Structures are given as structure tokens and as C-alpha cells.
């Protein structure tokens, strides 16, 4: 069975890199050392030893200087440059596929640089087409205590799910600081979220002087109710290591889900893309023929048409026959 890939995505400060470090330690302690990849070109230090590190191939500071870019532009450009080597990355991982059970991928904290960029899509698609792939959306639990902030995170999770079209686990991190039970209750019970939203408005912490924000969040909570029902949630502490067994159980569940639903869908999508590409090439060829005004009777039609070598051979045979006839006389 191919190793499951866990792509860790999260807002800056959500504890994503620490989560990767703790997950690496957790799996290693169970004698199931994973294959760890770092896709963040701007990070100065990471608390784990990656098997593949984008920083070994791309110098983030030199990219900034050479192309006169800001921090986010340099991250996107670095990812674009690295995505040209994605086939080499996949080949390296495939060589180790028989000896590993999981692949863990750390991504930039500037979430939009990876999720919404072309290079991020290329890297994600490359792994998802080769290995069972799960998205771990890491959330900063203490910062989601406000209903409006919680809703913002859930909207981002929803958009990532429909952008990647891959199984997702929402990971409420930093549970050693604040327990994630309140967030799980908001996802289960719409009325509980409504009460919290009302309390926030009464306390004047909703960040809006009008009822517009309150009305919007109300509507969104109703809209996302179906989204919550299809979502798996884990609560972990990257600091203490609590909850990682439950998280890996969910990864196993999502891997089976990938094999059952997503893999067939992705194969169908790849087949359609191949058919579209084939049709595009045919249309391009027909357009070229039309533009050059090439007549149909000069276009080769299988075995009935003579190629240049066939004609030359027949002329040589006639010359040899003539020479033989002359010699016989």
C-alpha cells in the first residue's frame, strides 16, 4: 500500500511547523518514521530534519534581490521555480515508498502563496496523483474563540476543500492553551453558535458598529451546516503531543475515503483532460491544414499512400531490372 501524504496547511502563527515536528516525533516513536518535506522557502529554522528541503534548491533572499520582490512575491516565485523539479521530488519519494508509511509536507505560513498559486496546485496535484493525499488544515484554537474569527477560519477551510478536492481534516491546535470543545460544539449545534454570536455583539466585540457583520455571520453559519457534517475534526497540542493518535486514526479513515471516492474522481478528471488535450491537438492540426490550404489528396492515408522511401525503392528496382536485361542481351 502506498504511503499516505499529509499536506499541512494553516494560517501564520497557527503552530503548523511545530505540528509537523510533533507529528514526525510521534510517528518515529512508533517505529514508523515518516518522509518529511519542507515547502517553505522563507523559514529560517525548522525544529525537524526534512528529507527534502526547498531551501537546498532555492535561495529565498537571492530571489528577492534578483527579481526585486517583496516577501510574498519571493515565496510565490520560489515555489514556481521549485515546482519545475516536482518530477524529481516524486521520483525521490517513490524510491522510499516501500519503507515509509507517511509523507508529511510543511507549507508556507502565508497560506495564499501556496493554496492559490499555480505552483501550489502543481505540487499538490503531483502528490495527489501519485499517493493517497489528505489535507490537514491547522487552526489556532485560542484565536478562534471569537465567533467571527471562527467563521473566517471555517470559510477558509471550505474554500481549500473545494480548491484541492481532497479529503480534509480540520486540526484545532494549541489545546494545551484552550480546549477545542467549544469549537466542536459550534459545529454540531447551530443554536450554541448563535448564542455565542449574540454575546459577542452585546459585549461590543464583534468589530462592527452595525448589525451587518452579525447578519452575515448568521447566514454563513447556516450555509456551512452541511459542510460541517462532512468534515472530520481533530484536537491536538503540538506542545504536549496530546491528540496525535486520534489524528492518525482520522488520517487512516481519510485515506480509505480517498481510495474509495477521490481516486476514481481524479482518474476520471485526468482522463477527461487527456481527451481534451487530444482533441486540442487534432483541432490544431486541422486548422494548420486549412491555413496552409493543403489538399486532401496529398495527405497520407495509411498504407495506401506511398512514402518517399517506397517510391525511391521502386525506382531502384526498375533500374536494376533494366541493367539485368541489358546484361542478358
Amino acid at each position: 500500500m502506498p504511503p499516505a501524504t499529509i499536506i499541512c496547511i494553516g494560517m501564520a502563527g497557527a503552530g503548523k511547523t511545530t505540528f509537523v515536528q510533533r507529528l514526525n516525533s510521534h510517528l518515529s516513536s512508533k517505529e514508523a518514521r515518516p518522509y518529511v518535506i519542507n515547502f517553505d522557502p522563507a523559514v529560517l529554522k525548522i525544529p525537524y530534519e526534512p528529507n527534502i528541503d526547498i531551501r537546498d534548491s532555492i535561495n529565498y533572499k537571492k530571489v528577492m534581490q534578483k527579481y526585486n520582490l517583496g516577501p510574498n512575491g519571493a515565496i510565490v516565485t520560489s515555489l514556481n521555480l521549485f515546482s519545475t523539479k516536482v518530477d524529481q521530488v516524486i521520483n525521490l519519494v517513490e524510491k522510499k515508498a516501500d519503507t515509509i508509511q507517511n509523507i508529511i509536507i510543511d507549507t508556507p505560513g502565508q497560506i495564499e502563496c501556496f493554496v492559490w498559486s499555480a505552483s501550489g496546485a502543481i505540487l499538490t496535484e503531483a502528490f495527489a496523483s501519485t499517493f493517497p493525499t489528505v489535507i490537514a488544515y491547522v487552526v489556532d484554537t485560542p484565536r478562534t474563540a471569537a465567533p467571527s474569527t471562527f467563521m473566517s477560519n471555517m470559510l477558509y477551510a471550505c474554500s481549500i476543500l473545494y480548491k484541492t478536492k481532497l479529503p480534509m481534516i480540520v486540526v484545532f491546535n494549541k489545546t494545551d492553551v484552550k480546549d477545542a470543545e467549544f469549537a466542536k460544539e459550534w459545529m454540531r449545534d447551530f443554536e450554541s453558535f448563535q448564542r455565542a454570536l449574540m454575546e459577542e455583539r452585546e459585549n461590543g466585540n464583534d468589530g462592527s458598529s452595525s448589525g451587518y457583520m452579525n447578519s452575515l455571520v448568521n447566514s454563513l453559519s447556516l450555509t456551512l451546516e452541511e459542510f460541517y457534517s462532512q468534515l472530520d475534526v481533530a484536537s491536538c497540542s503540538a506542545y504536549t503531543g496530546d491528540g496525535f493518535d486520534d489524528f492518525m486514526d482520522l488520517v487512516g479513515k481519510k485515506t480509505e475515503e480517498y481510495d474509495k471516492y477521490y481516486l476514481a474522481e481524479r482518474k476520471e478528471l485526468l482522463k477527461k483532460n487527456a481527451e481534451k488535450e487530444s482533441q486540442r491537438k487534432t483541432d490544431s492540426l486541422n486548422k494548420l491544414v486549412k491555413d496552409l490550404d493543403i489538399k486532401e489528396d496529398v495527405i497520407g492515408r495509411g498504407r495506401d499512400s506511398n512514402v518517399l522511401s517506397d517510391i525511391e525503392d521502386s525506382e531502384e528496382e526498375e533500374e536494376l531490372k533494366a541493367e539485368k536485361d541489358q546484361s542478358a542481351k
Side-chain angles (χ1 to χ4, degrees):
M1 184 176 178
T5 301
I6 306 168
I7 302 179
C8 300
I9 297 174
M11 300 285 190
K16 179 170 39 52
T17 298
T18 310
F19 175 84
V20 171
Q21 183 267 335
R22 177 61 70 175
L23 182 58
N24 180 28
S25 301
H26 177 79
L27 292 174
S28 298
S29 68
K30 296 181 177 294
E31 298 183 356
R33 186 174 180 83
Y35 199 88
V36 187
I37 303 174
N38 173 45
F39 280 163
D40 188 353
V43 66
L44 294 177
K45 293 182 180 180
I46 47 180
Y48 56 85
E49 188 67 33
N51 298 90
I52 297 176
D53 194 337
I54 186 174
R55 298 175 301 168
D56 294 336
S57 303
I58 309 295
N59 189 313
Y60 169 74
K61 289 185 178 179
K62 286 186 178 180
V63 169
M64 287 183 72
Q65 294 170 358
K66 182 176 181 180
Y67 299 104
N68 194 26
L69 297 169
N72 285 0
I75 290 174
V76 172
T77 303
S78 297
L79 285 168
N80 289 343
L81 293 170
F82 190 72
S83 66
T84 62
K85 306 175 183 291
V86 66
D87 56 333
Q88 299 176 34
V89 174
I90 295 297
N91 287 337
L92 287 171
V93 178
E94 284 183 323
K95 289 178 181 178
K96 298 287 186 179
D98 294 337
T99 61
I100 57 175
Q101 296 179 14
N102 295 105
I103 304 161
I104 306 172
I105 298 177
D106 193 7
T107 60
Q110 290 78 357
I111 190 170
E112 68 281 356
C113 294
F114 183 80
V115 175
W116 303 112
S117 66
S119 52
I122 290 169
L123 293 167
T124 302
E125 182 68 28
F127 277 91
S129 300
T130 313
F131 308 104
T133 303
V134 178
I135 302 294
Y137 180 65
V138 183
V139 178
D140 187 340
T141 307
R143 291 186 182 178
T144 59
S148 54
T149 310
F150 169 81
M151 184 54 61
S152 297
N153 267 286
M154 291 302 103
L155 281 174
Y156 228 122
C158 183
S159 64
I160 292 171
L161 175 65
Y162 288 105
K163 175 70 169 62
T164 60
K165 294 182 175 62
L166 290 168
M168 174 185 279
I169 302 170
V170 173
V171 183
F172 287 103
N173 193 22
K174 303 184 182 179
T175 54
D176 56 293
V177 178
K178 185 173 180 61
D179 193 272
E181 192 57 38
F182 74 94
K184 294 179 180 179
E185 185 180 352
W186 287 352
M187 296 174 74
R188 289 192 303 264
D189 186 357
F190 169 76
E191 292 182 356
S192 175
F193 181 77
Q194 291 292 303
R195 287 193 298 271
L197 190 62
M198 190 175 296
E199 289 175 8
E200 184 183 48
R201 184 178 62 175
E202 289 173 353
N203 294 332
N205 297 324
D206 62 347
S208 174
S209 58
S210 68
Y212 172 73
M213 181 61 72
N214 187 61
S215 176
L216 176 62
V217 175
N218 259 321
S219 301
L220 289 172
S221 62
L222 282 169
T223 305
L224 292 180
E225 200 168 13
E226 180 62 27
F227 170 66
Y228 295 152
S229 66
Q230 304 297 322
L231 202 62
D232 281 300
V233 178
S235 55
C236 299
S237 171
Y239 180 72
T240 64
D242 291 338
F244 279 85
D245 283 325
D246 294 337
F247 171 75
M248 288 309 301
D249 289 341
L250 287 178
V251 170
K253 175 186 173 184
K254 286 297 183 181
T255 301
E256 293 176 3
E257 192 176 299
Y258 172 93
D259 293 335
K260 188 174 181 180
Y261 300 108
Y262 290 84
L263 185 60
E265 184 179 338
R266 297 187 79 79
K267 284 182 177 179
E268 184 64 25
L269 181 62
L270 290 172
K271 181 181 177 182
K272 287 181 180 179
N273 288 341
E275 290 173 353
K276 285 181 181 178
E277 180 63 17
S278 177
Q279 185 62 42
R280 187 191 65 76
K281 289 180 180 178
T282 302
D283 293 342
S284 297
L285 179 60
N286 292 338
K287 186 175 183 299
L288 178 64
V289 170
K290 184 178 179 180
D291 290 345
L292 295 177
D293 195 25
I294 299 175
K295 302 301 181 182
E296 288 188 4
D297 56 355
V298 301
I299 300 176
R301 292 181 177 275
R303 298 180 63 86
D304 295 333
S305 300
N306 288 326
V307 295
L308 181 60
S309 60
D310 294 334
I311 296 172
E312 289 175 343
D313 289 344
S314 61
E315 288 177 351
E316 289 176 0
E317 287 175 2
E318 289 178 2
E319 289 176 2
L320 288 171
K321 184 178 179 182
E323 289 176 4
K324 286 181 181 180
D325 291 342
Q326 189 67 27
S327 299
K329 292 178 180 179

